[in-house]
Amino acid sequence: MTDPDHLPFNGLAGAVDEPAQQPPGPRYATVWEWVEDWFVLRIRRRMNPAVGKGLSWDPAWWRYPEVVARLLALHAAWEEASAADAAASASAMSTWWLSHLEPHLRVIFDSDSGPMSLAAPDDPLHDRFAGHPPLSTVPVPDEVKQDYDQHPNRALEALEPMFPTVWDWVEGWFVKVIRRRIQTGKGLSWDPAWWRYPEVVARFQALHAAWEFACASESPSAWSVWWVSHLDSHLRVIFDGETGPMSLAGSDSTFTGHTPLGSVALPDAVKQQLAPKG
């Protein structure tokens, strides 16, 4: 059985166990108490585990690293909203429902390609299913590392990052936690040699920097904001198996991404219009 205390998903564990606002302390000391005593008692939806037919939920939610990470973030943001002072409390909980819970649930309950897709509690073989496997990766070649070492991510200079480089973060956190149903050409697309795609690398660099800042933040809701306002929007593009940067990945072992967009040289008159003034 998977030990939820040793999964590599908890970028902000202290946000739950040691909330920034004291007193009062958290209403629920742990994420599993919150899930069992609040979340599952109030969030009631029509579930249909058939792939792509509705919503999916596994009562053994703690077996899914991404679901655990999202519920940790939701719990921390919920505690922050619950502890809001009188001036902010009027809208804090409504904001939590709309800006935190709903975006997370769209992923958690996604029966097509989400982390719990294919989970079927009524299936005799259900106990053998523990979610989709981690995304596979191909080690980043030294020449690629050297190229990116020459252009370090300046956004990390003000921090002591948990992962010093984007590939450390991708290999050490991202692919271990983000587990989706990958179906090249039919749904989500992923290439283990992700570093061959300039747009994917650039997006991962941005995500990594935002992740590090969320981990360093004193705001309990920073982790949830990172998931819904940064990661989910980027993943809709990165994993897009129809037109995204990795679409067609897997169809040809020599595929290194789509060709660069063409550009026609600007006429002088246009350059003058676009040139900075002064």
Coordinates of all heavy atoms in Angstrom, one line a residue, residues 175-230:
V175 N 7.1 15.0 -13.1 CA 6.7 13.7 -13.7 C 6.3 12.7 -12.7 O 5.6 11.7 -13.0 CB 7.8 13.2 -14.6 CG1 8.1 14.1 -15.8 CG2 9.1 12.9 -13.8
K176 N 6.7 12.9 -11.4 CA 6.3 12.0 -10.4 C 4.9 12.3 -9.8 O 4.2 11.3 -9.3 CB 7.3 12.1 -9.2 CG 8.7 11.6 -9.6 CD 9.6 11.7 -8.4 CE 11.0 11.2 -8.8 NZ 12.0 11.2 -7.6
V177 N 4.5 13.5 -9.9 CA 3.2 13.9 -9.3 C 2.1 14.0 -10.4 O 0.9 13.5 -10.2 CB 3.3 15.3 -8.6 CG1 2.0 15.7 -8.1 CG2 4.3 15.1 -7.5
I178 N 2.4 14.6 -11.6 CA 1.4 14.7 -12.6 C 1.2 13.5 -13.4 O 2.1 13.1 -14.2 CB 1.7 15.9 -13.5 CG1 2.0 17.2 -12.7 CG2 0.6 16.2 -14.5 CD1 0.9 17.6 -11.8
R179 N 0.2 12.7 -13.1 CA 0.0 11.4 -13.8 C -1.4 11.4 -14.5 O -2.4 11.5 -13.9 CB 0.0 10.3 -12.7 CG 1.3 10.3 -11.9 CD 1.4 9.1 -11.0 NE 2.6 9.2 -10.2 CZ 3.0 8.2 -9.4 NH1 2.4 7.0 -9.4 NH2 4.1 8.4 -8.7
R180 N -1.3 11.4 -15.8 CA -2.5 11.5 -16.6 C -2.6 10.3 -17.6 O -1.6 9.6 -17.8 CB -2.5 12.8 -17.4 CG -2.4 14.0 -16.5 CD -3.6 14.2 -15.7 NE -3.4 15.4 -14.8 CZ -3.7 16.6 -15.1 NH1 -4.1 16.9 -16.3 NH2 -3.5 17.6 -14.2
R181 N -3.8 10.1 -18.1 CA -4.0 9.1 -19.1 C -3.5 9.6 -20.5 O -4.2 10.4 -21.1 CB -5.5 8.7 -19.2 CG -5.8 7.5 -20.1 CD -7.2 7.1 -19.9 NE -7.6 6.0 -20.8 CZ -8.5 6.1 -21.8 NH1 -9.0 7.3 -22.0 NH2 -8.8 5.1 -22.5
I182 N -2.3 9.2 -20.9 CA -1.7 9.7 -22.1 C -2.2 8.7 -23.3 O -2.0 7.5 -23.2 CB -0.2 9.7 -22.0 CG1 0.2 10.6 -20.8 CG2 0.4 10.2 -23.3 CD1 -0.2 12.0 -21.0
Q183 N -2.7 9.3 -24.3 CA -3.1 8.6 -25.5 C -2.7 9.5 -26.8 O -3.5 10.3 -27.2 CB -4.6 8.3 -25.6 CG -5.0 7.2 -24.6 CD -6.5 6.9 -24.8 OE1 -7.3 7.8 -24.6 NE2 -6.8 5.7 -25.1
T184 N -1.5 9.3 -27.2 CA -1.0 10.1 -28.4 C -2.0 10.0 -29.6 O -2.3 8.9 -30.0 CB 0.4 9.7 -28.8 OG1 1.2 9.8 -27.7 CG2 0.9 10.5 -29.9
G185 N -2.4 11.1 -30.1 CA -3.3 11.2 -31.2 C -4.8 11.0 -30.9 O -5.7 11.2 -31.7
K186 N -5.1 10.6 -29.6 CA -6.5 10.4 -29.2 C -6.9 11.2 -28.0 O -8.0 11.3 -27.7 CB -6.7 8.9 -28.9 CG -6.5 8.0 -30.1 CD -6.8 6.6 -29.8 CE -6.6 5.7 -31.0 NZ -6.9 4.2 -30.6
G187 N -5.9 11.8 -27.3 CA -6.2 12.5 -26.1 C -5.0 13.4 -25.8 O -4.6 14.3 -26.5
L188 N -4.4 13.1 -24.6 CA -3.3 13.9 -24.2 C -2.0 13.3 -24.8 O -1.8 12.1 -24.9 CB -3.2 13.8 -22.6 CG -4.4 14.3 -21.9 CD1 -4.1 14.4 -20.4 CD2 -4.9 15.7 -22.4
S189 N -1.0 14.2 -25.1 CA 0.2 13.8 -25.7 C 1.4 14.2 -24.8 O 1.4 15.3 -24.2 CB 0.3 14.4 -27.1 OG 1.5 13.9 -27.7
W190 N 2.4 13.3 -24.7 CA 3.6 13.6 -23.9 C 4.8 12.9 -24.6 O 4.7 11.7 -25.0 CB 3.5 13.1 -22.5 CG 4.7 13.1 -21.7 CD1 5.5 12.1 -21.4 CD2 5.3 14.3 -21.1 NE1 6.6 12.5 -20.6 CE2 6.5 13.8 -20.5 CE3 5.0 15.6 -21.1 CZ2 7.4 14.7 -19.8 CZ3 5.9 16.5 -20.4 CH2 7.0 16.0 -19.8
D191 N 5.9 13.6 -24.6 CA 7.1 13.1 -25.2 C 8.2 13.0 -24.0 O 8.5 14.0 -23.4 CB 7.7 13.9 -26.3 CG 8.8 13.3 -27.1 OD1 9.5 12.4 -26.5 OD2 9.1 13.6 -28.2
P192 N 8.7 11.8 -23.7 CA 9.7 11.7 -22.7 C 10.9 12.6 -22.9 O 11.5 13.1 -21.9 CB 10.1 10.2 -22.7 CG 9.0 9.5 -23.2 CD 8.4 10.5 -24.3
A193 N 11.2 12.9 -24.1 CA 12.3 13.9 -24.5 C 11.7 15.3 -24.6 O 11.8 16.0 -25.6 CB 13.0 13.5 -25.8
W194 N 11.1 15.7 -23.5 CA 10.4 17.0 -23.4 C 11.3 18.2 -23.7 O 10.8 19.2 -24.2 CB 9.8 17.2 -22.0 CG 10.8 17.1 -20.9 CD1 11.2 16.0 -20.3 CD2 11.5 18.2 -20.4 NE1 12.2 16.3 -19.4 CE2 12.4 17.6 -19.4 CE3 11.6 19.5 -20.6 CZ2 13.3 18.4 -18.7 CZ3 12.5 20.3 -19.9 CH2 13.3 19.7 -18.9
W195 N 12.6 18.0 -23.5 CA 13.6 19.1 -23.6 C 13.8 19.4 -25.1 O 14.5 20.4 -25.4 CB 14.9 18.7 -22.9 CG 15.2 17.3 -23.1 CD1 14.9 16.3 -22.2 CD2 15.9 16.7 -24.2 NE1 15.4 15.1 -22.7 CE2 16.0 15.3 -23.9 CE3 16.4 17.1 -25.4 CZ2 16.6 14.4 -24.8 CZ3 17.0 16.2 -26.3 CH2 17.1 14.9 -26.0
R196 N 13.3 18.6 -26.0 CA 13.4 18.9 -27.5 C 12.5 19.9 -28.0 O 12.6 20.4 -29.1 CB 13.3 17.6 -28.3 CG 14.3 16.5 -28.0 CD 14.3 15.4 -29.0 NE 13.0 14.6 -29.0 CZ 12.9 13.5 -29.6 NH1 13.9 13.0 -30.3 NH2 11.7 12.8 -29.5
Y197 N 11.5 20.4 -27.1 CA 10.5 21.3 -27.6 C 10.7 22.6 -26.9 O 10.4 22.8 -25.7 CB 9.1 20.7 -27.2 CG 8.9 19.3 -27.8 CD1 9.4 18.2 -27.2 CD2 8.2 19.2 -29.0 CE1 9.2 16.9 -27.7 CE2 8.0 17.9 -29.5 CZ 8.5 16.8 -28.9 OH 8.3 15.6 -29.4
P198 N 11.1 23.7 -27.6 CA 11.4 25.0 -27.0 C 10.3 25.6 -26.2 O 10.5 26.1 -25.2 CB 11.8 25.8 -28.3 CG 12.3 24.9 -29.3 CD 11.4 23.6 -29.1
E199 N 9.1 25.4 -26.8 CA 7.9 26.0 -26.0 C 7.7 25.3 -24.7 O 7.4 25.9 -23.7 CB 6.7 26.0 -26.9 CG 5.5 26.6 -26.2 CD 4.2 26.6 -27.0 OE1 4.3 26.4 -28.2 OE2 3.1 26.9 -26.4
V200 N 7.8 24.0 -24.7 CA 7.6 23.2 -23.5 C 8.6 23.6 -22.5 O 8.3 23.7 -21.3 CB 7.6 21.7 -23.8 CG1 7.6 20.9 -22.6 CG2 6.5 21.3 -24.8
V201 N 9.9 23.7 -22.9 CA 10.9 24.1 -22.0 C 10.7 25.4 -21.4 O 10.8 25.7 -20.2 CB 12.3 24.0 -22.7 CG1 13.4 24.6 -21.7 CG2 12.7 22.6 -23.1
A202 N 10.3 26.4 -22.2 CA 10.0 27.8 -21.8 C 8.8 27.8 -20.8 O 8.9 28.5 -19.8 CB 9.7 28.7 -22.9
R203 N 7.8 27.0 -21.1 CA 6.7 26.9 -20.1 C 7.1 26.3 -18.8 O 6.6 26.7 -17.7 CB 5.5 26.2 -20.8 CG 4.8 27.0 -21.9 CD 3.7 26.2 -22.5 NE 2.9 26.9 -23.5 CZ 1.9 27.7 -23.3 NH1 1.5 27.9 -22.1 NH2 1.3 28.3 -24.3
F204 N 7.9 25.2 -18.9 CA 8.3 24.5 -17.7 C 9.2 25.5 -16.8 O 9.2 25.5 -15.6 CB 9.1 23.3 -18.0 CG 8.2 22.1 -18.2 CD1 8.6 21.0 -19.0 CD2 7.0 22.0 -17.6 CE1 7.8 19.9 -19.2 CE2 6.2 20.9 -17.8 CZ 6.6 19.8 -18.6
Q205 N 10.0 26.3 -17.5 CA 10.8 27.2 -16.8 C 10.0 28.2 -16.0 O 10.2 28.6 -14.8 CB 11.8 28.0 -17.7 CG 12.9 27.2 -18.2 CD 13.8 27.9 -19.2 OE1 13.4 28.5 -20.2 NE2 15.1 28.0 -18.9
A206 N 8.9 28.7 -16.6 CA 8.0 29.6 -16.0 C 7.2 28.9 -14.8 O 7.1 29.5 -13.7 CB 7.0 30.2 -17.0
L207 N 6.8 27.7 -15.1 CA 6.1 26.9 -14.0 C 7.0 26.6 -12.9 O 6.6 26.7 -11.7 CB 5.6 25.6 -14.6 CG 4.3 25.7 -15.4 CD1 4.0 24.3 -16.1 CD2 3.1 26.0 -14.4
H208 N 8.2 26.3 -13.1 CA 9.2 26.0 -12.1 C 9.4 27.2 -11.2 O 9.4 27.1 -9.9 CB 10.5 25.5 -12.7 CG 11.6 25.4 -11.7 ND1 12.9 25.6 -12.0 CD2 11.6 25.0 -10.4 CE1 13.7 25.4 -10.9 NE2 12.9 25.0 -9.9
A209 N 9.6 28.4 -11.8 CA 9.8 29.6 -11.0 C 8.6 29.9 -10.2 O 8.8 30.2 -9.0 CB 10.2 30.8 -12.0
A210 N 7.4 29.8 -10.7 CA 6.2 30.1 -10.0 C 6.0 29.1 -8.9 O 5.5 29.4 -7.8 CB 5.0 30.1 -10.9
W211 N 6.4 27.8 -9.1 CA 6.3 26.8 -8.1 C 7.2 27.1 -6.9 O 6.8 27.0 -5.8 CB 6.7 25.4 -8.7 CG 6.6 24.2 -7.9 CD1 5.5 23.4 -7.8 CD2 7.6 23.7 -7.0 NE1 5.7 22.4 -6.9 CE2 7.0 22.5 -6.4 CE3 8.9 24.0 -6.7 CZ2 7.7 21.7 -5.5 CZ3 9.6 23.2 -5.8 CH2 9.0 22.1 -5.2
E212 N 8.5 27.5 -7.2 CA 9.4 27.8 -6.2 C 8.9 29.0 -5.3 O 9.0 29.0 -4.1 CB 10.8 28.2 -6.8 CG 11.5 27.0 -7.5 CD 12.1 26.0 -6.5 OE1 12.0 26.2 -5.3 OE2 12.6 25.0 -7.0
F213 N 8.3 30.0 -6.0 CA 7.8 31.2 -5.2 C 6.6 30.7 -4.4 O 6.4 31.2 -3.3 CB 7.4 32.3 -6.2 CG 8.6 33.2 -6.5 CD1 9.4 33.0 -7.6 CD2 8.9 34.3 -5.7 CE1 10.5 33.8 -7.9 CE2 9.9 35.1 -6.0 CZ 10.8 34.9 -7.1
A214 N 5.8 29.8 -4.9 CA 4.6 29.3 -4.1 C 5.1 28.6 -2.9 O 4.5 28.7 -1.8 CB 3.7 28.5 -5.0
C215 N 6.1 27.8 -3.0 CA 6.7 27.0 -1.9 C 7.3 28.0 -0.8 O 7.2 27.7 0.3 CB 7.8 26.1 -2.4 SG 7.2 24.7 -3.3
A216 N 7.8 29.1 -1.3 CA 8.4 30.0 -0.3 C 7.4 31.0 0.2 O 7.8 31.8 1.2 CB 9.6 30.8 -1.0
S217 N 6.2 31.0 -0.3 CA 5.2 32.0 0.1 C 4.7 31.7 1.5 O 4.6 30.5 2.0 CB 4.0 32.0 -0.8 OG 3.0 32.9 -0.4
E218 N 4.3 32.7 2.3 CA 3.7 32.6 3.6 C 2.2 32.5 3.5 O 1.5 32.3 4.5 CB 4.1 33.7 4.5 CG 5.6 33.8 4.8 CD 5.9 34.9 5.8 OE1 5.0 35.7 6.1 OE2 7.1 35.1 6.1
S219 N 1.7 32.6 2.3 CA 0.2 32.6 2.1 C -0.2 31.1 2.0 O 0.3 30.4 1.1 CB -0.2 33.3 0.9 OG -1.6 33.1 0.6
P220 N -1.2 30.6 2.8 CA -1.6 29.2 2.7 C -2.3 28.9 1.4 O -2.3 27.8 0.9 CB -2.6 29.1 3.8 CG -2.2 30.2 4.8 CD -1.7 31.3 4.0
S221 N -2.8 29.9 0.7 CA -3.5 29.7 -0.6 C -2.5 29.7 -1.8 O -3.0 29.5 -2.9 CB -4.6 30.6 -0.8 OG -4.2 32.0 -0.8
A222 N -1.3 30.1 -1.6 CA -0.4 30.3 -2.7 C -0.2 29.0 -3.5 O -0.1 29.0 -4.7 CB 1.0 30.7 -2.2
W223 N -0.2 27.8 -2.8 CA 0.0 26.5 -3.5 C -1.2 26.3 -4.4 O -1.1 25.8 -5.5 CB 0.1 25.5 -2.4 CG 0.6 24.1 -2.8 CD1 0.0 23.0 -2.3 CD2 1.6 23.8 -3.7 NE1 0.7 21.9 -2.9 CE2 1.7 22.3 -3.7 CE3 2.5 24.5 -4.4 CZ2 2.6 21.6 -4.5 CZ3 3.5 23.8 -5.2 CH2 3.5 22.4 -5.2
S224 N -2.4 26.5 -3.9 CA -3.6 26.3 -4.7 C -3.7 27.2 -5.9 O -4.0 26.8 -7.0 CB -4.9 26.5 -3.9 OG -6.1 26.3 -4.7
V225 N -3.3 28.5 -5.7 CA -3.2 29.4 -6.8 C -2.3 29.0 -7.9 O -2.6 29.1 -9.1 CB -2.8 30.8 -6.3 CG1 -2.5 31.8 -7.5 CG2 -3.9 31.4 -5.4
W226 N -1.1 28.4 -7.5 CA -0.2 27.9 -8.5 C -0.8 26.8 -9.3 O -0.7 26.8 -10.6 CB 1.1 27.4 -7.8 CG 2.0 26.8 -8.8 CD1 3.0 27.5 -9.5 CD2 2.2 25.4 -9.2 NE1 3.7 26.6 -10.4 CE2 3.2 25.4 -10.2 CE3 1.5 24.2 -8.8 CZ2 3.6 24.2 -10.8 CZ3 1.9 23.0 -9.4 CH2 2.9 23.0 -10.4
W227 N -1.5 25.9 -8.7 CA -2.2 24.8 -9.5 C -3.2 25.3 -10.5 O -3.2 25.0 -11.6 CB -2.9 23.8 -8.5 CG -1.9 22.9 -7.8 CD1 -1.3 23.1 -6.6 CD2 -1.5 21.6 -8.3 NE1 -0.5 22.0 -6.3 CE2 -0.7 21.1 -7.3 CE3 -1.8 20.8 -9.4 CZ2 -0.1 19.8 -7.4 CZ3 -1.3 19.5 -9.5 CH2 -0.4 19.0 -8.5
V228 N -4.1 26.2 -10.0 CA -5.2 26.5 -10.9 C -4.9 27.7 -11.8 O -5.5 27.8 -12.9 CB -6.5 26.9 -10.0 CG1 -6.9 25.7 -9.2 CG2 -6.3 28.1 -9.1
S229 N -4.0 28.6 -11.4 CA -3.8 29.8 -12.2 C -2.5 29.6 -13.1 O -2.3 30.4 -14.0 CB -3.6 31.0 -11.3 OG -4.8 31.3 -10.6
H230 N -1.7 28.7 -12.8 CA -0.5 28.5 -13.6 C -0.5 27.1 -14.2 O -0.5 27.0 -15.4 CB 0.8 28.7 -12.7 CG 0.9 30.1 -12.2 ND1 1.5 31.1 -12.9 CD2 0.5 30.6 -11.0 CE1 1.4 32.2 -12.2 NE2 0.9 32.0 -11.1

